[in-house]
Amino acid sequence: MTDLRLRDSLVTEGYMEEGPALTQDAMAMEEGPALAQDAIAMAEEGHLASDDNTGAALAPSMEHADGIALAQSSDNTNIEPSTAVNFLVTPTRRSSSHLIRSSFIPEVEASLKPAVGMTFDTLADVEKFYKDYAHDHAGFSVRIGQHRKEDKEILTKYFYCSREGYRKNNDKKDDDQSGLKGKKRKTRNVMETRCGCQAHIYVTRGPDKKYKIASMVEQHNHGVVSPNHRHLLRSNRHVTDRVKGTLFNCHKASIGTSLAYRFLHVSDGGFQNVGCTLREQNYYRDLRTKIKDADAQMFVSQLERKKEVNSAFFYNFEVDEQGRLMRVFWVDATSRKNYIVFGDAISVDATYTTNQYNMKFVPFTGFNHHMQCVFLGAAFLANEKIDSYVWLFKTFLEAMGGRAPHLIVTDECASMKAAIGQILPETTHRLCMWHIMEKVHENISPSLRADEDFWNKLHTCVWDSETIEEFESRWNSMIVEFQLVGNKWFGTRFLIRESWIPVYFIDIPLAGILRTTSRSESANSFFNRFIHQKLSFVEFWLRFDTALEYQRQEELKQDHKSLHTTPKLMTPWAMEKQCSMIYTHEIFDKFQKQIVASRDHCFIQGIIERDEIKLVTIGSTSKKERLVHFNKSGMIGRCTCKLFESHGIPC
């Protein structure tokens, strides 16, 4: 398991103390690209004594050399006739023989060239001068070489052509290791970029604390890069702060690296102006490597900062004996307010893909007055054991002031079911129909999957049955007709029918809204925007925060629309006009469909009055009868279809 250790202060105190680097405000998620820079700086304990491998984290790249002839062999031996005749055979060379080219001096004005005796105030000035010469005028890439220190002061330093020296040959070592395992080790085919070039400058620090070029070699043993290829030189490629800012914003918006790079190409006027390649601009890959041991700590630190800004922000977490993060729950002030209004019926979904630490993401979701999904809190759990869900529901109740929901809908999880029975005994628990119906495809034959009549009858049976007797009759007929009598999956679904078929919980207020597939599909679409297995906690939070803002902005847009526009009426009835002023547009649209249906498809078959009670039998063009029970003194009506009880909308 990836080590997600928190500092000792987190383990012992339960909150994030002010500490070195990790709790600085510079690490705040809101500070854009600085997050990535500070995270890397925090993770690195210091600079290497030698920066010979500068740029090693970037993808290997081959500098382009224009107009270079085929290399001669190192011993200048003529090609034998037999070899010359067989010109289709790929030329080969001995591994001990290196590629040597003729001497080449870049054509650059003397005033722009380095020269022995030149002095500079700092090593940074030396590096800038040599790179400007190499990139803008000569056409080669620079590699920072080794240096010598005394009393923490650098006394000497080399700056090489990037093609200096040769890479070590590890073929023999790999063969030895593969022999031990009895299996040849798979190696990556990396292009050779070094050819023994000796071009360099060597600087020394004088008594005046300035650096002087003590020696240099101007000649290269390879061709240089033409001007239209110089933006591809490795040392000439870097991710600027502006590019980091753009990439950071794209990352928050869940825009992938390829699309972000294409955007940079267009906005900057060409690839040569971007300053990096596609692989190099994915600096979040390097961020994950740098922060992997502090990722959980940074995530909890961010939650603590949220609480410091707004005391109504709630979070809690637990760690194991080794200080590894095992579970964490959070909910902000807006979500806690939403729960007071929209918390009667909620869903808890533990089917989302995990993050890179295999921790399960578990969101709590409700629905608002526009029939939109609203976020009511979320958690990461290291496992799906009963005690994890017991902790989760206890923490959720604590965050919501001890107020339990009337209805909770979950996926088929035995551990979650057991925890709900312990912590939420008064809450009605039902299974998510959407997840169950999504599994039908996996449990029927290919021919049945393509049978439109089967799907129509299945949906009519599951969704449209208004009584238990009607459902069971339709189910049994469907099972026989489509030869599913021996199907174990359908048999098991029927045994647990009371936990997922809508007709069995039609009396529960607003249960009909959560049963609809559109609610689950909407929530699934929302959370899948920022959840996948490659994300760290820090990356998750960046995307999550942006997505949550988007969700709430959509609610504001619908509020504005309902307040400042008026829906078109379809009938002259006063009831329709009154409801157009009471309901939001989304709810009114559903009510209006009932109004129109009652006008066009329903008719009164009979009326019976008994004191304060009026019984009205309603017929319809669908040949289905319903009975309306109306209390005249209380002015309350109930229909056997129970649309008002389950959806809150009069039929």
Side-chain angles (χ1 to χ4, degrees):
M1 179 176 179
T2 302
D3 193 359
L4 304 180
R5 297 176 188 272
L6 302 176
R7 287 211 313 272
D8 292 340
S9 59
L10 281 176
V11 179
T12 58
E13 302 294 338
Y15 61 88
M16 203 63 185
E17 294 182 351
E18 289 293 323
L22 293 183
T23 57
Q24 296 173 358
D25 290 338
M27 291 305 301
M29 303 297 175
E30 294 85 354
E31 292 189 350
L35 169 66
Q37 297 169 348
D38 290 347
I40 293 175
M42 174 205 69
E44 294 177 339
E45 294 181 355
H47 298 289
L48 298 176
S50 170
D51 20 66
D52 181 62
N53 293 322
T54 298
L58 303 179
S61 177
M62 190 74 173
E63 281 81 5
H64 296 267
D66 293 346
I68 299 177
L70 284 175
Q72 298 175 352
S73 62
S74 58
D75 54 4
N76 294 321
T77 305
N78 293 329
I79 300 176
E80 296 181 3
S82 59
T83 306
V85 173
N86 191 8
F87 58 87
L88 293 180
V89 176
T90 302
T92 60
R93 61 182 177 88
R94 296 187 301 273
S95 59
S96 60
S97 172
H98 296 296
L99 210 58
I100 297 179
R101 306 182 189 278
S102 58
S103 176
F104 187 91
I105 299 177
E107 296 182 2
V108 181
E109 293 182 18
S111 60
L112 302 174
K113 291 183 177 182
V116 174
M118 279 186 172
T119 59
F120 303 88
D121 292 333
T122 65
L123 283 174
D125 294 336
V126 179
E127 181 178 346
K128 183 179 184 305
F129 172 79
Y130 197 53
K131 284 186 174 180
D132 287 346
Y133 160 73
H135 301 159
D136 299 339
H137 308 293
F140 65 93
S141 186
V142 175
R143 191 172 80 251
I144 310 301
Q146 65 267 34
H147 59 254
R148 183 170 64 86
K149 273 185 177 182
E150 275 188 16
D151 298 328
K152 298 183 179 180
E153 294 288 346
I154 296 178
L155 301 182
T156 65
K157 194 174 186 69
Y158 282 91
F159 295 85
Y160 295 114
C161 168
S162 66
R163 306 192 71 177
E164 179 270 344
Y166 301 98
R167 294 191 184 276
K168 292 181 179 180
N169 190 342
N170 293 323
D171 293 343
K172 187 176 185 303
K173 180 180 178 181
D174 292 341
D175 291 341
D176 293 341
Q177 291 179 352
S178 63
L180 292 174
K181 297 179 181 179
K183 183 178 180 181
K184 186 170 179 61
R185 181 179 175 182
K186 186 177 180 180
T187 58
R188 188 176 62 167
N189 184 19
V190 180
M191 294 294 183
E192 179 62 65
T193 59
R194 301 190 186 185
C195 60
C197 180
Q198 296 183 10
H200 72 275
I201 61 172
Y202 172 69
V203 297
T204 60
R205 189 171 187 262
D208 57 357
K209 298 184 179 181
K210 292 187 177 183
Y211 291 90
K212 180 176 67 174
I213 298 180
S215 66
M216 64 170 287
V217 173
E218 187 179 3
Q219 295 87 353
H220 297 260
N221 67 349
H222 57 86
V224 293
V225 174
S226 60
N228 63 324
H229 288 165
R230 287 176 184 172
H231 67 282
L232 297 173
L233 291 170
R234 172 170 293 182
S235 61
N236 197 25
R237 302 194 307 255
H238 62 284
V239 184
T240 65
D241 289 340
R242 187 195 60 77
V243 170
K244 287 180 180 179
T246 301
L247 295 175
F248 183 85
N249 291 330
C250 288
H251 196 73
K252 288 183 67 177
S254 300
I255 297 174
T257 53
S258 295
L259 288 177
Y261 188 65
R262 286 163 58 186
F263 172 76
L264 287 169
H265 158 239
V266 173
S267 63
D268 289 11
F271 291 115
Q272 69 276 10
N273 299 322
V274 174
C276 59
T277 64
L278 175 60
R279 292 186 64 182
E280 290 162 348
Q281 65 98 19
N282 188 11
Y283 75 111
Y284 276 99
R285 173 196 58 207
D286 302 317
L287 171 64
R288 287 195 293 270
T289 302
K290 300 287 186 181
I291 68 173
K292 64 180 180 179
D293 293 328
D295 190 25
Q297 181 175 320
M298 293 166 61
F299 181 58
V300 174
S301 297
Q302 172 62 11
L303 298 181
E304 176 61 23
R305 279 191 292 271
K306 288 282 188 180
K307 186 174 180 63
E308 291 173 357
V309 173
N310 188 339
S311 60
F313 185 93
F314 178 94
Y315 79 99
N316 197 2
F317 66 95
E318 282 192 354
V319 296
D320 63 7
E321 295 80 2
Q322 287 78 41
R324 294 176 298 188
L325 184 64
M326 297 300 292
R327 48 187 78 120
V328 57
F329 171 85
W330 72 95
V331 57
D332 66 0
T334 301
S335 295
R336 296 175 79 179
K337 290 180 181 178
N338 282 338
Y339 181 76
I340 296 173
V341 182
F342 307 122
D344 290 329
I346 67 172
S347 68
V348 182
D349 193 346
T351 63
Y352 293 101
T353 53
T354 59
N355 62 5
Q356 66 174 249
Y357 310 113
N358 292 322
M359 296 186 75
K360 184 70 71 174
F361 177 66
V362 186
F364 289 73
T365 307
F367 57 91
N368 64 15
H369 50 311
H370 300 295
M371 305 294 287
Q372 297 171 318
C373 291
V374 290
F375 173 76
L376 299 176
F380 275 111
L381 302 177
N383 59 62
E384 294 188 87
K385 296 179 180 179
I386 295 177
D387 61 338
S388 291
Y389 285 115
V390 167
W391 176 90
L392 175 60
F393 291 120
K394 280 184 177 179
T395 306
F396 177 78
L397 282 182
E398 180 185 354
M400 302 308 180
R403 177 173 174 261
H406 297 305
L407 172 69
I408 186 168
V409 177
T410 72
D411 56 284
E412 293 183 82
C413 175
S415 297
M416 193 183 298
K417 180 180 179 181
I420 291 173
Q422 290 183 40
I423 309 303
L424 303 170
E426 303 301 321
T427 299
T428 302
H429 178 210
R430 294 291 181 264
L431 301 180
C432 178
M433 292 187 62
W434 184 71
H435 287 112
I436 292 177
M437 295 297 284
E438 283 288 295
K439 296 177 182 177
V440 173
H441 292 79
E442 307 169 10
N443 294 280
I444 57 176
S445 64
S447 60
L448 210 54
R449 292 174 198 159
D451 192 332
E452 187 176 346
D453 185 45
F454 164 75
W455 291 108
N456 290 335
K457 290 186 176 180
L458 176 62
H459 288 144
T460 299
C461 173
V462 171
W463 299 107
D464 298 335
S465 298
E466 294 181 6
T467 66
I468 294 175
E469 293 77 15
E470 185 178 31
F471 162 74
E472 293 182 351
S473 175
R474 287 175 172 175
W475 181 276
N476 292 330
S477 298
M478 179 189 68
I479 294 297
V480 173
E481 180 180 352
F482 296 101
Q483 300 179 1
L484 296 170
V485 175
N487 189 297
K488 292 182 179 179
W489 187 84
F490 275 87
T492 304
R493 295 320 93 171
F494 185 74
L495 291 177
I496 62 171
R497 59 191 180 279
E498 294 183 7
S499 65
W500 69 283
I501 296 297
V503 71
Y504 287 93
F505 47 99
I506 198 170
D507 292 323
I508 301 174
L510 302 180
I513 297 179
L514 273 184
R515 79 169 195 172
T516 58
T517 58
S518 59
R519 299 281 74 74
S520 296
E521 288 172 346
S522 176
N524 195 270
S525 174
F526 170 72
F527 289 118
N528 278 329
R529 294 176 190 174
F530 53 86
I531 293 294
H532 61 72
Q533 292 180 340
K534 295 182 180 180
L535 291 182
S536 65
F537 283 122
V538 171
E539 293 175 297
F540 160 82
W541 184 263
L542 295 175
R543 295 187 176 201
F544 167 79
D545 217 23
T546 303
L548 191 57
E549 289 178 8
Y550 175 81
Q551 185 189 76
R552 290 170 178 169
Q553 176 64 22
E554 290 300 303
E555 180 178 343
L556 289 176
K557 287 166 60 177
Q558 291 302 317
D559 282 343
H560 178 79
K561 183 178 178 181
S562 291
L563 289 171
H564 300 290
T565 61
T566 304
K568 181 180 179 180
L569 302 181
M570 305 293 289
T571 72
W573 299 346
M575 185 179 185
E576 183 187 16
K577 184 176 182 179
Q578 181 188 24
C579 288
S580 70
M581 295 183 290
I582 296 174
Y583 290 143
T584 62
H585 288 353
E586 182 68 25
I587 302 298
F588 177 74
D589 180 64
K590 296 181 180 300
F591 169 74
Q592 191 176 57
K593 290 178 180 178
Q594 295 298 317
I595 285 280
V596 173
S598 65
R599 181 193 66 183
D600 298 343
H601 303 292
C602 298
F603 50 87
I604 297 176
Q605 286 186 329
I607 300 176
I608 300 175
E609 296 195 36
R610 299 173 183 170
D611 299 327
E612 297 296 321
I613 304 300
K614 179 188 285 188
L615 299 176
V616 182
T617 303
I618 304 295
S620 66
T621 54
S622 64
K623 299 180 180 181
K624 179 175 285 190
E625 290 185 359
R626 296 179 177 89
L627 183 64
V628 176
H629 183 281
F630 184 73
N631 187 313
K632 291 185 286 185
S633 61
M635 297 297 291
I636 297 175
R638 298 183 184 278
C639 179
T640 53
C641 74
K642 297 186 178 181
L643 183 68
F644 183 73
E645 289 84 349
S646 61
H647 289 75
I649 299 173
C651 63

